[in-house]
Amino acid sequence: MARNGYATVWRWHFYAGLFTAPFLLILAITGALYLFNDELNDLIYPQLRFAPSGDAVLPAGDLVAAVREAYPRGTVTRIDMPVSPGRTAMAFVTPEQGEPLRVFVDPGDGTILGDVIYARTLVGFADVMHGSLLLGRGGDALVELAASWALVLVITGLYLWWPRGRRSRAFRFDRRSRGRKRWREIHRLVGVYTAVMIVFLIITGLPWASFWGDRVLSPVSNALGLGYPPQLRHHGGGEVPAETTLSDTNLSKTMLETLGDAPWALQQAPLPDGRRRTTVASQPTDARHAGMPTRPPAAEAASHSGCVVFSVGSWPGGAPLAGEYGVNSCPQHQQTDHRHSHEGLDTSTAAINRVHALLAAQRLPYGYRLSIPADAGDPYSAYTYPDRPQGQRTLHLDSGGHRLLVNVGFDDYGAIAKAVELGVALHMGNYFGRANQIVMLLTCVAIVALVITGTVMWWRRRPAGGLGAPDSPPIRKRYWLAVTLTLLALLPLAGLSLLLVLALEKGRALARRRSVAG
């Protein structure tokens, strides 16, 4: 039985490797590129990434106004404020025709520095290829399937490696090996020493998959109260007035569906209704903000004119901003633009500057990403996405920019959501800075090495004109049942594909029997 088990594991390791090899190669290379996305973008587009005017920063509304003036036929859907001194702001623009643009703005004077189509940049190409192979949802499913079988590949590989004789050689390279055996030695040791990190990369990447993440992990964790903050499920956050009811929430709209982007923990969280029921600013109930006014007098007085004058702001990490927060608001943008204000929805310069002031009052650091509502029922949404997820915060404000509706942070997430966000930060090489990037890069290099050595080993052992798959000895049905049920429970796509493969093999066996009988 042990011999049959080894041969069966070898056969499935072979097929799993043959299927996943091209996908793993793509994922490893694109993942390695994206690990250094900031560095690559700075190198390729320095004229877009660095602000000529220095550290000064205008309010978000003034920057949006500058972009609208430069792209009068486009719709500004989001503005990302500069993440550190000397950096540019980035606006997301949807033109009447053509692909969406990312427009870079000097935050000190509103000068438009240029634009790019994200998918046509090196980093954008790597990002889209890594997530969906440029094939949309079908490609996303293929990536998830390959990642799921890669886990099987690692587990079966460790089983094949497991020392059954002289254990002293299990972790050492055999210098006497030559030819195909030397390739096997490299494959064996690279796999053994990097297996844990490869499994970590797969597990921390799967939550972003459309099936396992969106349809399994996220809904289950949210239903158990271990995902997005449970209070968002019923009333859109804990900071709305007492008279707010279920009708004041967009339970059918989620952050991801409406905004197109959100921290994983909040992707399926329902949005609060952005229609303003009262002009009274709600007071934060979170103890972290106790005693802090929602709108300081200066911001309250200035917001009516659209010119925001507020106290000293800060960059992510608490570093103070040079000068006053928004003190240089452009006079030409102070009047409300009625083209962007209707039926309770106000996306004028003055409204966005009011939002800017409210975010400042809540001590939200620069680097926040502000989504501008398209419908009257949608709120303004701002969130921070720092390298360490403990600093994540998400705020929703009504569609007129008058009132804070929701203010949640990492501490409000459930246990699963926290674990996923921590895993994602490590997966992307963000959490520990350069050291984190290097460790993940070495793991990507190891995956490339495993694909190359595995392919060379197969190519050298396969017979001319044949596949060279290991023989398949008979295995008891209960073992297949246990394996299939385990995969279906933990990795549904892998389990379904295994059922398909078993059905095909059964069909081939029946066809061979009939041909022999005939």
Side-chain angles (χ1 to χ4, degrees), residues 78 254-262 271 371-372 379 381 383 396:
R78 179 174 131 186
T254 65
M255 279 191 67
L256 185 62
E257 292 169 346
T258 307
L259 309 181
D261 192 19
L271 283 175
S371 292
I372 301 169
S381 297
Y383 69 91
H396 298 304

Side-chain angles (χ1 to χ4, degrees), residues 391-450:
Q392 288 182 16
R393 287 179 62 193
T394 300
L395 288 77
H396 298 304
L397 302 94
D398 73 275
S399 56
H402 296 277
R403 180 168 56 91
L404 181 67
L405 302 176
V406 171
N407 183 358
V408 295
F410 182 83
D411 290 341
D412 301 308
Y413 298 168
I416 292 178
K418 287 180 178 178
V420 169
E421 292 292 354
L422 288 167
V424 168
L426 291 166
H427 180 106
M428 296 177 67
N430 293 337
Y431 200 94
F432 292 111
R434 188 72 72 207
N436 198 162
Q437 288 175 304
I438 292 172
V439 170
M440 294 303 162
L441 175 63
L442 291 175
T443 307
C444 291
V445 171
I447 293 172
V448 172
L450 288 169

Side-chain angles (χ1 to χ4, degrees), residues 25 81 102 104 111 201 212 215 287 347 356 391 397 406 449 507:
L25 198 61
M81 298 300 283
R102 298 193 178 187
F104 294 84
T111 300
L201 274 180
W212 196 83
R215 301 183 185 181
T347 60
H356 183 84
L397 302 94
V406 171

Side-chain angles (χ1 to χ4, degrees), residues 18 20 140 167 178 217 266 313 350 352 384 396 410 423 432 472:
L18 207 60
T20 61
D140 182 280
R167 299 194 176 189
R178 294 290 183 272
L217 181 62
L266 300 176
I352 299 174
T384 56
H396 298 304
F410 182 83
F432 292 111
S472 177

Side-chain angles (χ1 to χ4, degrees), residues 235-251:
H235 49 71
E239 299 182 10
V240 294
E243 70 271 18
T244 303
T245 65
L246 280 174
S247 63
D248 293 315
T249 61
N250 286 323
L251 291 179

Side-chain angles (χ1 to χ4, degrees), residues 50-336:
F50 298 98
S53 64
D55 298 353
V57 180
L58 293 173
D62 292 341
L63 300 181
V64 170
V67 176
R68 285 171 173 167
E69 185 176 348
Y71 297 82
R73 295 189 177 183
T75 302
V76 182
T77 60
R78 179 174 131 186
I79 180 79
D80 291 3
M81 298 300 283
V83 296
S84 61
R87 290 288 186 173
T88 55
M90 182 172 65
F92 289 61
V93 177
T94 303
E96 286 184 342
Q97 295 181 337
E99 299 183 59
L101 301 173
R102 298 193 178 187
V103 179
F104 294 84
V105 190
D106 187 327
D109 57 17
T111 300
I112 304 301
L113 302 176
D115 59 55
V116 298
I117 296 175
Y118 181 64
R120 297 183 187 177
T121 65
L122 176 62
V123 168
F125 172 81
D127 182 15
V128 179
M129 177 66 82
H130 191 79
S132 65
L133 307 176
L134 306 179
L135 298 175
R137 294 189 68 85
D140 182 280
L142 273 176
V143 169
E144 179 178 351
L145 187 61
S148 300
W149 276 105
L151 274 178
V152 176
L153 190 65
V154 174
I155 294 169
T156 54
L158 289 174
Y159 178 88
L160 296 175
W161 161 83
W162 190 260
R164 293 167 178 80
R166 297 179 63 179
R167 299 194 176 189
S168 59
R169 294 184 178 179
F171 295 94
R172 291 190 303 177
F173 182 77
D174 185 359
R175 297 174 180 267
R176 297 170 300 176
S177 60
R178 294 290 183 272
R180 180 174 169 272
K181 288 186 177 181
R182 169 155 289 200
W183 287 101
R184 186 180 64 186
E185 283 294 291
I186 298 172
H187 187 84
R188 176 178 69 88
L189 290 178
V190 170
V192 167
Y193 283 111
T194 61
V196 172
M197 289 307 303
I198 293 172
V199 169
F200 176 82
L201 274 180
I202 295 170
I203 290 176
T204 54
L206 278 174
W208 292 98
S210 59
F211 190 89
W212 196 83
D214 295 348
R215 301 183 185 181
V216 179
L217 181 62
S218 187
V220 169
S221 60
N222 292 332
L224 295 174
L226 302 175
Y228 64 71
Q231 65 266 30
L232 299 184
R233 184 182 305 130
H234 302 295
H235 49 71
E239 299 182 10
V240 294
E243 70 271 18
T244 303
T245 65
L246 280 174
S247 63
D248 293 315
T249 61
N250 286 323
L251 291 179
S252 61
K253 288 187 174 183
T254 65
M255 279 191 67
L256 185 62
E257 292 169 346
T258 307
L259 309 181
D261 192 19
W264 185 91
L266 300 176
Q267 286 187 346
Q268 294 190 7
L271 283 175
D273 195 312
R275 287 166 290 195
R276 181 162 54 93
R277 291 168 57 91
T278 175
T279 58
V280 178
S282 60
Q283 295 298 320
T285 57
D286 193 326
R288 292 170 297 176
H289 310 295
M292 187 187 304
T294 301
R295 308 178 73 192
E300 178 70 38
S303 67
H304 295 292
S305 66
C307 180
V308 181
V309 181
F310 184 50
S311 59
V312 175
S314 66
W315 298 102
L321 170 66
E324 290 188 288
Y325 199 115
V327 71
N328 295 319
S329 182
C330 300
Q332 64 267 33
H333 300 314
Q334 289 182 6
Q335 297 300 319
T336 298

